[in-house]
Structure formats: structure tokens, C-alpha cells
């Protein structure tokens, strides 16, 4: 006889990172670490070049930092996946550089090897892991842990605060805005959860029978689009995901956005709003199944959207996993 099917419901299954209070606990933990992160940022501000290294979700959270540094400063800040970094082994990693190694577990093989190589090159190394006591932090010049159950919010909030402090100390106004953005998260994100849950219940069912889902984003939210495609849809929900940058839509995606396809649109607050509108209008006209996220219409700026959109996506993945009966 075959084993009975374990049907997942809200009553029988919820991953720990969506437990009640996890968002609040994680944001409080990042706020508690703020003085340490700000002081370290000031200490590191005297260096010339900055590298971030991590894999999967630990790579995607780097991209908003790189975007902001590129857009608003002349400070070289580079984002690398672990494997890419070890393949390239950038020549400019030396005693004038800082390398931030990011890993939730603190044991990711590529990050461990990267911190050892950066140490050998004379760079200052910073570990950022979920728990302060970790293998990577034990090898790094400085070890940071957000010490809370939430993963993406812990990483991204810590990076915003650390690099915000570095850039502010170097005289860039954007740095102070990054730090201030994190300080506003506790009053913004928890209030979004009830609406995100209610909306996602219906949307998860709407996407239930789609085996491929496109995720469109751009600018500061490209990292979130990439993360949702790779780490959430493919790894957790067993759905083929394809991430598409808005600016590249007409170079291929336009041809296959037809009736029967499904897409998730991440709306930003940057200069791409007009392009987003055109793509959405075209897609609706072609019969594409659209899930559009726009930070619930809140009055938030570009810097806040990687956090607000994440809250909406997090609950969509949960209800999609229930609809497809897949444990995340």
C-alpha cells in the first residue's frame, strides 16, 4: 500500500521564518546591533575598495548595496557570488580593501574559502552570519551576527546599516538615508503582514497550476527578483522560475509573454516607473496572468522597497507552497 498523502494546510504547516513575531524579533535584533554596525562602518570607512561575497540569498542581498553605491557615490563596492569570487579572485583585493563574507549558516564552503584567501591577501574581512558564533566569523577580522530567526531581513538590514555608515562617513548623503531606512522598518513592515497574508491566499491558488513563473524587477529590486526566482520558486516551491530585468524585457521576454504565461511584477519607486507601466499594459493585453506588487501602495521611497516587496513575496511563496502541497 502507498503511504497516505500529507496534505498541507495553514493549521498543519508553516515554516519557522513565518511564525508570528519573527519579523518583529528580527528587526529588533538588527536595531540592537545598530551601534556596533555604525561604529564598525566608521572604522572601515578609511579603506578604498569594498567586496561582498555570498551564495544564493546571501548573494542577492548584496545587489541593492552595490546599486546604491554605484548610483550615489564614487566608492567601489562590488557584489560577488561565492563561486564567481573564487573563480575571479580579484587582483584589487589587498590591504586597502574590505571583504564582507555573508552566510546564514556561517559554514558555506565558498565563503569560508573566500575569507581565508582575503586574509592571505591582507584585506580586512568581515563575517556576517545568522549567529555571531560561526566558523566564518571565527576566521574574519570582524564577526557580525544578527542573532535572530529571520534571514533576509537580518542580512539586508545589517548590510544597509553597515554600508550606510561607511558611505555617510565618506561624506555621502545616501549613507545616512540607508541607516534611517532601517530605523523605520519596525513601524512599517509588521503592519503589512495581515494584508500580505490575505492577498497571498488567493494569489497562491491562482498560480497553483503554473509550472513556470517569470519574475520581473529592476534597479534596486533586481536582487529581490533574482532571489525569488532562484531561492524561493526553484529551491523551495519546485517551480521553474525565470528572472527578467525590466530594461531587458523587449530583448526576448516580449516574444513569449502570451496568454497562459504567469508573471510576478515587482514595482519600484525609481526611474523605471514609466517602463514598468508599459510592460504591465502590454502583458495584460496579451493575456498574461499577472501578480503585481507595489508595496501595498504605501508612501515609501526607493530605498525601502527591497524590504516592503520582500514581505509581500514571502507570504505568496507560503500560500503557493500550500496550494502545490510542497514543503518549503
Amino acid at each position: 500500500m502507498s503511504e497516505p498523502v500529507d496534505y498541507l494546510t495553514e493549521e498543519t504547516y508553516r515554516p519557522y521564518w513565518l511564525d508570528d513575531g519573527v519579523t518583529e524579533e528580527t528587526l529588533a535584533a538588527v536595531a540592537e546591533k545598530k551601534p556596533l554596525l555604525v561604529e564598525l562602518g566608521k572604522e572601515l570607512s578609511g579603506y578604498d575598495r569594498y567586496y561582498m561575497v555570498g551564495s544564493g540569498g546571501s548573494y542577492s542581498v548584496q545587489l541593492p548595496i552595490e546599486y546604491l553605491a554605484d548610483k550615489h557615490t564614487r566608492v567601489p563596492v562590488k557584489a560577488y557570488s561565492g563561486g564567481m569570487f573564487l573563480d575571479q579572485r580579484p587582483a584589487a583585493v589587498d590591504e586597502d580593501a574590505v571583504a564582507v563574507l555573508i552566510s546564514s549558516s556561517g559554514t558555506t564552503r565558498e565563503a569560508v574559502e573566500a575569507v581565508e584567501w582575503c586574509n592571505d591577501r591582507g584585506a580586512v574581512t568581515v563575517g556576517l552570519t545568522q549567529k555571531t558564533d560561526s566558523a566564518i566569523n571565527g576566521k574574519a577580522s570582524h564577526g557580525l551576527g544578527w542573532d535572530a530567526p529571520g534571514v533576509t531581513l537580518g542580512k539586508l538590514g545589517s548590510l544597509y546599516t553597515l554600508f550606510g555608515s561607511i558611505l555617510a562617513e565618506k561624506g555621502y548623503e545616501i549613507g545616512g538615508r540607508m541607516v534611517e531606512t532601517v530605523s523605520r522598518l519596525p513601524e512599517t513592515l509588521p503592519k503589512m503582514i495581515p494584508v500580505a497574508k490575505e492577498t497571498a491566499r488567493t494569489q497562491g491558488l491562482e498560480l497553483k497550476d503554473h509550472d513556470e513563473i517569470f519574475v520581473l524587477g529592476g534597479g534596486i529590486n533586481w536582487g529581490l527578483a533574482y532571489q525569488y526566482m532562484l531561492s524561493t520558486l526553484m529551491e523551495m516551491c519546485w517551480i521553474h522560475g525565470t528572472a527578467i530585468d525590466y530594461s531587458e524585457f523587449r530583448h526576448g521576454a516580449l516574444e513569449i509573454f502570451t496568454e497562459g504565461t504567469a508573471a510576478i511584477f515587482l514595482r519600484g519607486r525609481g526611474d523605471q516607473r514609466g517602463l514598468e507601466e508599459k510592460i504591465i499594459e502590454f502583458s495584460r493585453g496579451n493575456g498574461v496572468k499577472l501578480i503585481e506588487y507595489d508595496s501595498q501602495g504605501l508612501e515609501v521611497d526607493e530605498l525601502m522597497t527591497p524590504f516592503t516587496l520582500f514581505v509581500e513575496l514571502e507570504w505568496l511563496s507560503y500560500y503557493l507552497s500550500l496550494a502545490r502541497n510542497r514543503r518549503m
Side-chain angles (χ1 to χ4, degrees):
M1 293 179 60
S2 61
E3 294 294 323
V5 177
D6 179 19
Y7 289 107
L8 304 183
T9 68
E10 290 184 65
E11 289 71 34
T12 63
Y13 173 70
R14 186 192 290 189
Y16 73 87
W17 59 86
L18 289 175
D19 283 345
D20 294 341
V22 164
T23 295
E24 293 86 344
E25 181 182 349
T26 303
L27 295 177
V30 173
E32 185 178 339
K33 302 284 183 176
K34 178 180 177 179
L36 175 63
L37 291 163
V38 168
E39 283 305 309
L40 181 58
K42 291 178 180 178
E43 180 180 340
L44 299 178
S45 65
Y47 291 84
D48 295 335
R49 295 175 296 282
Y50 301 86
Y51 297 85
M52 297 174 288
V53 182
S55 301
S58 295
Y59 168 62
S60 63
V61 293
Q62 303 169 30
L63 299 180
I65 309 302
E66 182 182 58
Y67 171 88
L68 290 169
D70 254 1
K71 184 173 182 176
H72 297 282
T73 82
R74 293 181 177 271
V75 181
V77 178
K78 291 280 290 180
Y80 282 93
S81 69
M84 182 194 309
F85 184 83
L86 293 175
D87 178 58
Q88 290 189 226
R89 298 184 186 264
V93 174
D94 58 19
E95 63 277 1
D96 295 321
V98 174
V100 181
L101 296 310
I102 309 160
S103 165
S104 298
S105 67
T107 61
T108 305
R109 179 183 58 80
E110 295 91 343
V112 171
E113 186 174 344
V115 71
E116 294 171 344
W117 183 78
C118 292
N119 285 338
D120 290 342
R121 298 277 295 182
V124 174
T125 51
V126 179
L128 177 60
T129 62
Q130 190 164 19
K131 296 181 179 179
T132 301
D133 183 15
S134 69
I136 288 172
N137 285 353
K139 294 175 179 290
S141 311
H142 305 274
L144 301 171
W146 60 92
D147 295 309
V151 175
T152 297
L153 292 179
K155 293 176 188 174
L156 192 54
S158 298
L159 287 173
Y160 257 58
T161 306
L162 176 63
F163 277 92
S165 176
I166 291 170
L167 297 178
E169 196 68 14
K170 285 180 175 289
Y172 293 101
E173 181 263 348
I174 190 63
R177 289 177 56 200
M178 292 168 70
V179 175
E180 195 270 335
T181 293
V182 177
S183 72
R184 290 190 285 120
L185 296 178
E187 67 184 46
T188 304
L189 300 191
K191 292 188 292 188
M192 296 182 66
I193 293 175
V195 175
K197 290 171 64 175
E198 199 58 39
T199 303
R201 281 191 181 96
T202 301
Q203 293 170 335
L205 289 172
E206 291 174 355
L207 294 176
K208 173 180 178 291
D209 296 322
H210 288 275
D211 293 321
E212 180 175 28
I213 297 175
F214 297 95
V215 186
L216 279 86
I220 197 171
N221 292 309
W222 172 243
L224 184 55
Y226 176 86
Q227 177 186 4
Y228 199 72
M229 172 275 295
L230 186 72
S231 299
T232 303
L233 289 180
M234 296 179 73
E235 182 179 352
M236 293 186 177
C237 295
W238 298 8
I239 294 172
H240 183 81
T242 302
I244 300 170
D245 192 297
Y246 279 130
S247 63
E248 289 293 285
F249 181 80
R250 68 182 182 275
H251 300 293
L254 178 145
E255 308 295 340
I256 60 174
F257 265 49
T258 56
E259 189 169 358
T261 58
I264 298 168
F265 288 77
L266 306 183
R267 300 295 305 271
R269 292 290 192 275
D271 298 334
Q272 297 282 347
R273 291 291 283 191
L275 178 59
E276 293 171 15
E277 292 287 355
K278 290 180 181 178
I279 294 171
I280 289 172
E281 181 181 358
F282 169 84
S283 301
R284 286 204 175 109
N286 262 24
V288 177
K289 173 61 191 174
L290 298 179
I291 300 292
E292 182 182 344
Y293 286 126
D294 197 9
S295 301
Q296 295 180 358
L298 297 174
E299 292 294 326
V300 296
D301 62 9
E302 180 182 48
L303 274 70
M304 183 75 79
T305 55
F307 298 95
T308 51
L309 291 170
F310 171 75
V311 171
E312 295 182 282
L313 286 173
E314 193 170 39
W315 286 99
L316 175 63
S317 61
Y318 170 58
Y319 284 104
L320 184 55
S321 73
L322 292 183
R324 292 176 66 89
N325 211 47
R326 297 286 193 189
R327 290 184 178 274
M328 301 173 70

